[in-house]
Short mmCIF file of all heavy atoms in Angstrom, two decimals:
data_model
loop_
_atom_site.label_atom_id
_atom_site.label_comp_id
_atom_site.label_asym_id
_atom_site.label_seq_id
_atom_site.Cartn_x
_atom_site.Cartn_y
_atom_site.Cartn_z
N ASN A 25 178.75 -39.01 -79.13
CA ASN A 25 179.05 -38.73 -77.78
C ASN A 25 180.12 -39.71 -77.25
O ASN A 25 180.33 -40.84 -77.83
CB ASN A 25 177.77 -38.89 -76.91
CG ASN A 25 176.70 -37.90 -77.40
OD1 ASN A 25 176.94 -36.74 -77.70
ND2 ASN A 25 175.50 -38.43 -77.63
N PRO A 26 180.80 -39.32 -76.16
CA PRO A 26 181.84 -40.17 -75.65
C PRO A 26 181.43 -41.62 -75.25
O PRO A 26 182.17 -42.56 -75.33
CB PRO A 26 182.31 -39.42 -74.37
CG PRO A 26 182.03 -38.00 -74.63
CD PRO A 26 180.75 -38.04 -75.47
N ASP A 27 180.12 -41.70 -74.84
CA ASP A 27 179.65 -43.06 -74.53
C ASP A 27 179.18 -43.88 -75.66
O ASP A 27 178.60 -45.03 -75.58
CB ASP A 27 178.49 -42.96 -73.47
CG ASP A 27 177.25 -42.24 -74.08
OD1 ASP A 27 177.33 -41.81 -75.27
OD2 ASP A 27 176.26 -42.14 -73.29
N GLY A 28 179.40 -43.40 -76.94
CA GLY A 28 179.07 -44.15 -78.14
C GLY A 28 177.67 -43.84 -78.65
O GLY A 28 177.34 -44.30 -79.70
N THR A 29 176.90 -43.10 -77.92
CA THR A 29 175.53 -42.75 -78.41
C THR A 29 175.71 -41.62 -79.44
O THR A 29 176.76 -41.00 -79.57
CB THR A 29 174.63 -42.29 -77.25
OG1 THR A 29 175.19 -41.12 -76.61
CG2 THR A 29 174.44 -43.40 -76.24
N SER A 30 174.58 -41.36 -80.17
CA SER A 30 174.59 -40.27 -81.16
C SER A 30 173.41 -39.33 -80.91
O SER A 30 172.34 -39.79 -80.64
CB SER A 30 174.40 -40.82 -82.58
OG SER A 30 175.47 -41.65 -82.91
N THR A 31 173.74 -37.98 -80.90
CA THR A 31 172.67 -37.01 -80.69
C THR A 31 172.40 -36.31 -82.01
O THR A 31 173.28 -35.78 -82.64
CB THR A 31 173.17 -35.97 -79.64
OG1 THR A 31 173.37 -36.70 -78.37
CG2 THR A 31 172.04 -34.93 -79.38
N TYR A 32 171.11 -36.28 -82.37
CA TYR A 32 170.60 -35.70 -83.65
C TYR A 32 169.84 -34.47 -83.29
O TYR A 32 168.98 -34.48 -82.42
CB TYR A 32 169.74 -36.67 -84.39
CG TYR A 32 170.47 -37.90 -84.84
CD1 TYR A 32 170.59 -39.01 -83.97
CD2 TYR A 32 171.06 -38.03 -86.10
CE1 TYR A 32 171.26 -40.20 -84.37
CE2 TYR A 32 171.74 -39.16 -86.47
CZ TYR A 32 171.80 -40.24 -85.61
OH TYR A 32 172.48 -41.31 -86.03
N SER A 33 170.13 -33.35 -84.00
CA SER A 33 169.44 -32.08 -83.74
C SER A 33 168.95 -31.51 -85.10
O SER A 33 169.57 -31.72 -86.13
CB SER A 33 170.37 -31.01 -83.12
OG SER A 33 171.00 -31.57 -81.95
N MET A 34 167.80 -30.88 -85.06
CA MET A 34 167.20 -30.34 -86.25
C MET A 34 166.49 -29.01 -85.97
O MET A 34 165.89 -28.83 -84.89
CB MET A 34 166.19 -31.39 -86.86
CG MET A 34 165.47 -30.86 -88.09
SD MET A 34 164.40 -32.06 -88.84
CE MET A 34 163.90 -33.18 -87.58
N LYS A 35 166.50 -28.13 -86.97
CA LYS A 35 165.69 -26.88 -86.86
C LYS A 35 165.38 -26.44 -88.31
O LYS A 35 166.10 -26.76 -89.26
CB LYS A 35 166.44 -25.83 -86.09
CG LYS A 35 167.80 -25.40 -86.63
CD LYS A 35 168.45 -24.42 -85.68
CE LYS A 35 169.93 -24.30 -85.85
NZ LYS A 35 170.50 -23.35 -84.82
N THR A 36 164.35 -25.63 -88.43
CA THR A 36 164.00 -25.01 -89.72
C THR A 36 163.41 -23.63 -89.37
O THR A 36 162.80 -23.43 -88.34
CB THR A 36 163.01 -25.86 -90.53
OG1 THR A 36 162.78 -25.28 -91.79
CG2 THR A 36 161.69 -26.08 -89.82
N TRP A 37 163.56 -22.73 -90.29
CA TRP A 37 163.03 -21.37 -90.13
C TRP A 37 162.92 -20.69 -91.47
O TRP A 37 163.59 -21.00 -92.44
CB TRP A 37 163.90 -20.56 -89.13
CG TRP A 37 165.22 -20.25 -89.67
CD1 TRP A 37 165.68 -19.06 -90.20
CD2 TRP A 37 166.40 -21.08 -89.71
NE1 TRP A 37 166.99 -19.15 -90.58
CE2 TRP A 37 167.50 -20.36 -90.25
CE3 TRP A 37 166.65 -22.39 -89.27
CZ2 TRP A 37 168.74 -20.89 -90.44
CZ3 TRP A 37 167.97 -22.89 -89.47
CH2 TRP A 37 168.99 -22.15 -90.05
N SER A 38 162.02 -19.70 -91.53
CA SER A 38 161.85 -18.87 -92.73
C SER A 38 163.12 -18.09 -92.97
O SER A 38 163.76 -17.59 -92.02
CB SER A 38 160.65 -17.96 -92.56
OG SER A 38 160.68 -16.94 -93.56
N THR A 39 163.53 -17.98 -94.21
CA THR A 39 164.77 -17.22 -94.52
C THR A 39 164.64 -15.76 -94.13
O THR A 39 165.67 -15.07 -94.05
CB THR A 39 165.15 -17.37 -96.02
OG1 THR A 39 164.08 -16.97 -96.80
CG2 THR A 39 165.53 -18.79 -96.34
N THR A 40 163.46 -15.28 -93.90
CA THR A 40 163.31 -13.86 -93.54
C THR A 40 163.38 -13.64 -92.05
O THR A 40 163.34 -12.51 -91.55
CB THR A 40 161.97 -13.26 -94.06
OG1 THR A 40 160.88 -14.05 -93.55
CG2 THR A 40 161.93 -13.32 -95.59
N GLY A 41 163.41 -14.78 -91.29
CA GLY A 41 163.42 -14.66 -89.84
C GLY A 41 164.76 -15.01 -89.21
O GLY A 41 165.65 -15.50 -89.93
N PRO A 42 164.89 -14.82 -87.88
CA PRO A 42 166.15 -15.21 -87.27
C PRO A 42 166.29 -16.71 -87.06
O PRO A 42 165.24 -17.40 -86.98
CB PRO A 42 166.06 -14.50 -85.87
CG PRO A 42 164.55 -14.45 -85.65
CD PRO A 42 163.95 -14.32 -86.94
N GLU A 43 167.51 -17.20 -87.01
CA GLU A 43 167.76 -18.59 -86.77
C GLU A 43 167.38 -18.99 -85.36
O GLU A 43 167.87 -18.40 -84.42
CB GLU A 43 169.20 -18.94 -87.04
CG GLU A 43 169.52 -20.41 -86.90
CD GLU A 43 170.98 -20.75 -87.27
OE1 GLU A 43 171.61 -19.97 -87.96
OE2 GLU A 43 171.42 -21.85 -86.92
N PRO A 44 166.54 -20.02 -85.18
CA PRO A 44 166.13 -20.44 -83.83
C PRO A 44 167.17 -21.39 -83.21
O PRO A 44 168.10 -21.83 -83.85
CB PRO A 44 164.79 -21.10 -84.06
CG PRO A 44 164.99 -21.78 -85.45
CD PRO A 44 165.81 -20.76 -86.19
N GLY A 45 166.90 -21.69 -81.94
CA GLY A 45 167.69 -22.76 -81.36
C GLY A 45 167.24 -24.14 -81.92
O GLY A 45 166.30 -24.19 -82.74
N TRP A 46 167.88 -25.23 -81.52
CA TRP A 46 167.46 -26.56 -82.02
C TRP A 46 166.04 -26.86 -81.56
O TRP A 46 165.68 -26.67 -80.42
CB TRP A 46 168.42 -27.61 -81.46
CG TRP A 46 169.85 -27.41 -82.00
CD1 TRP A 46 170.86 -27.01 -81.26
CD2 TRP A 46 170.29 -27.56 -83.36
NE1 TRP A 46 172.01 -26.92 -82.13
CE2 TRP A 46 171.62 -27.26 -83.42
CE3 TRP A 46 169.62 -28.05 -84.53
CZ2 TRP A 46 172.40 -27.35 -84.55
CZ3 TRP A 46 170.40 -28.06 -85.65
CH2 TRP A 46 171.78 -27.76 -85.68
N MET A 47 165.20 -27.23 -82.59
CA MET A 47 163.80 -27.47 -82.25
C MET A 47 163.49 -28.90 -81.93
O MET A 47 162.53 -29.18 -81.20
CB MET A 47 163.00 -27.07 -83.52
CG MET A 47 163.24 -25.64 -83.92
SD MET A 47 162.69 -25.25 -85.62
CE MET A 47 160.93 -25.04 -85.32
N ARG A 48 164.23 -29.85 -82.46
CA ARG A 48 164.05 -31.28 -82.14
C ARG A 48 165.39 -31.91 -81.93
O ARG A 48 166.29 -31.75 -82.68
CB ARG A 48 163.39 -31.96 -83.35
CG ARG A 48 162.02 -31.44 -83.72
CD ARG A 48 160.98 -31.41 -82.64
NE ARG A 48 160.67 -32.74 -82.22
CZ ARG A 48 160.19 -33.04 -80.96
NH1 ARG A 48 160.04 -32.08 -80.07
NH2 ARG A 48 159.91 -34.25 -80.61
N VAL A 49 165.55 -32.55 -80.75
CA VAL A 49 166.80 -33.16 -80.39
C VAL A 49 166.47 -34.55 -79.85
O VAL A 49 165.55 -34.74 -79.09
CB VAL A 49 167.55 -32.37 -79.32
CG1 VAL A 49 168.84 -33.12 -78.89
CG2 VAL A 49 167.90 -30.96 -79.77
N VAL A 50 167.22 -35.60 -80.30
CA VAL A 50 167.00 -36.92 -79.87
C VAL A 50 168.38 -37.59 -79.78
O VAL A 50 169.28 -37.39 -80.59
CB VAL A 50 166.07 -37.76 -80.76
CG1 VAL A 50 166.62 -37.95 -82.16
CG2 VAL A 50 165.72 -39.06 -80.15
N THR A 51 168.58 -38.41 -78.76
CA THR A 51 169.84 -39.23 -78.60
C THR A 51 169.50 -40.67 -78.83
O THR A 51 168.59 -41.22 -78.18
CB THR A 51 170.45 -38.99 -77.26
OG1 THR A 51 170.85 -37.58 -77.14
CG2 THR A 51 171.77 -39.83 -77.09
N GLU A 52 170.27 -41.33 -79.68
CA GLU A 52 170.00 -42.81 -79.99
C GLU A 52 171.15 -43.56 -79.30
O GLU A 52 172.21 -43.04 -78.99
CB GLU A 52 170.07 -42.97 -81.51
CG GLU A 52 169.03 -42.20 -82.29
CD GLU A 52 167.62 -42.76 -82.15
OE1 GLU A 52 167.49 -43.89 -81.60
OE2 GLU A 52 166.70 -42.12 -82.60
N ASP A 53 170.86 -44.87 -79.08
CA ASP A 53 171.82 -45.70 -78.35
C ASP A 53 173.09 -45.97 -79.21
O ASP A 53 173.17 -45.63 -80.36
CB ASP A 53 171.20 -46.97 -77.87
CG ASP A 53 170.64 -47.86 -78.97
OD1 ASP A 53 171.25 -47.87 -80.07
OD2 ASP A 53 169.69 -48.60 -78.73
N ALA A 54 173.99 -46.71 -78.64
CA ALA A 54 175.33 -46.94 -79.19
C ALA A 54 175.26 -47.86 -80.39
O ALA A 54 176.26 -48.09 -81.08
CB ALA A 54 176.28 -47.44 -78.15
N SER A 55 174.09 -48.50 -80.73
CA SER A 55 174.03 -49.41 -81.83
C SER A 55 173.89 -48.60 -83.20
O SER A 55 173.83 -49.17 -84.21
CB SER A 55 172.84 -50.34 -81.69
OG SER A 55 171.60 -49.66 -81.73
N ASP A 56 173.78 -47.30 -83.09
CA ASP A 56 173.69 -46.46 -84.32
C ASP A 56 174.95 -46.56 -85.11
O ASP A 56 175.99 -46.93 -84.63
CB ASP A 56 173.42 -44.97 -83.90
CG ASP A 56 172.07 -44.50 -84.20
OD1 ASP A 56 171.23 -45.37 -84.66
OD2 ASP A 56 171.76 -43.34 -84.04
N LEU A 57 174.80 -46.22 -86.40
CA LEU A 57 175.95 -46.21 -87.32
C LEU A 57 176.90 -45.12 -86.93
O LEU A 57 176.52 -44.02 -86.53
CB LEU A 57 175.49 -46.03 -88.76
CG LEU A 57 174.50 -47.11 -89.28
CD1 LEU A 57 174.04 -46.72 -90.66
CD2 LEU A 57 175.17 -48.40 -89.26
N SER A 58 178.19 -45.36 -87.11
CA SER A 58 179.19 -44.34 -86.77
C SER A 58 179.51 -43.41 -87.96
O SER A 58 180.23 -42.43 -87.83
CB SER A 58 180.46 -44.99 -86.23
OG SER A 58 181.03 -45.86 -87.23
N ALA A 59 179.07 -43.75 -89.15
CA ALA A 59 179.31 -42.94 -90.30
C ALA A 59 178.15 -43.11 -91.30
O ALA A 59 177.37 -44.06 -91.13
CB ALA A 59 180.62 -43.40 -91.01
#
């Protein structure tokens, strides 16, 4: 993010079903690794 924080998103679904929206989202502070 522009403020240096990082947002992580995750989802999982059965291959026979439709793709859902993001199921888990968390934003970590700017001390996270950039790569």
Side-chain angles (χ1 to χ4, degrees):
N25 303 312
D27 64 358
T29 61
S30 298
T31 299
Y32 297 86
S33 306
M34 177 175 26
K35 57 183 160 181
T36 184
W37 67 99
S38 166
T39 56
T40 60
E43 182 174 345
W46 295 108
M47 300 166 82
R48 302 302 296 154
V49 178
V50 65
T51 298
E52 300 286 351
D53 64 30
S55 67
D56 252 4
L57 300 175
S58 60

